Amino acid sequence: MSIPDDRADFCTRLGRNMGLDEAKLGEKKGGWKANALNFGQRFLVGGTASTSVDAVPIEPSTVDDYKRASEMCAAEGKGAVCRLVGPVNFKFRWKGSKTVTPVLPAETAVVSVEGIKTTCQLGNTDPK
């Protein structure tokens, strides 16, 4: 886990922890989309990769903190969506590595995973 840059937004910090290059992070203000495998890897290995997501409270925490965090990520469609509201730690496994990225107080973001595609978008966490 890298040291968080408090000046960077959540999606930027998550992307850096995942190893995305800065050009990818700078493509779209407030969010990004990435594939766990590049084109050659999808061709050679059939396009599969293990990705997992979870939200956990920042310690020390209460039972209510655990309940709130446990409701942030859910299966949706053919993947999972995490509607994150800080403060919480976001656990993400991608390309065989695990990262933990804090969602700071007052930050909100939506992380979606479908197959090998992951998107991170700042802001609205309302599923409607």
Side-chain angles (χ1 to χ4, degrees):
M1 180 171 98
S2 65
I3 298 170
D5 178 355
D6 290 338
R7 295 168 303 216
D9 61 56
F10 169 76
C11 288
T12 300
R13 292 191 315 271
L14 174 61
R16 287 176 181 160
N17 284 347
M18 292 168 49
L20 296 182
D21 62 33
E22 292 296 321
K24 181 70 176 174
L25 295 174
E27 284 179 6
K28 185 177 177 186
K29 183 84 173 144
W32 47 258
K33 183 182 286 187
N35 287 317
L37 302 175
N38 64 35
F39 178 76
Q41 289 169 321
R42 288 192 300 268
F43 178 73
L44 293 173
V45 299
T48 60
S50 175
T51 305
S52 65
V53 293
D54 194 17
V56 296
I58 295 172
E59 298 295 337
S61 57
T62 65
V63 171
D64 287 338
D65 294 333
Y66 276 94
K67 183 176 187 301
R68 184 178 79 87
S70 73
E71 294 171 348
M72 289 186 191
C73 295
E76 193 169 295
K78 294 181 180 181
V81 175
C82 294
R83 291 175 177 84
L84 305 167
V85 179
V88 70
N89 282 322
F90 179 63
K91 290 186 175 185
F92 190 65
R93 181 178 177 182
W94 177 13
K95 293 186 176 185
S97 63
K98 296 177 187 176
T99 64
V100 177
T101 305
V103 182
L104 301 177
E107 273 188 320
T108 60
V110 177
V111 177
S112 302
V113 176
E114 186 171 338
I116 61 170
K117 295 180 184 175
T118 300
T119 59
C120 184
Q121 190 67 44
L122 296 176
N124 190 1
T125 60
D126 188 359
K128 297 173 188 168

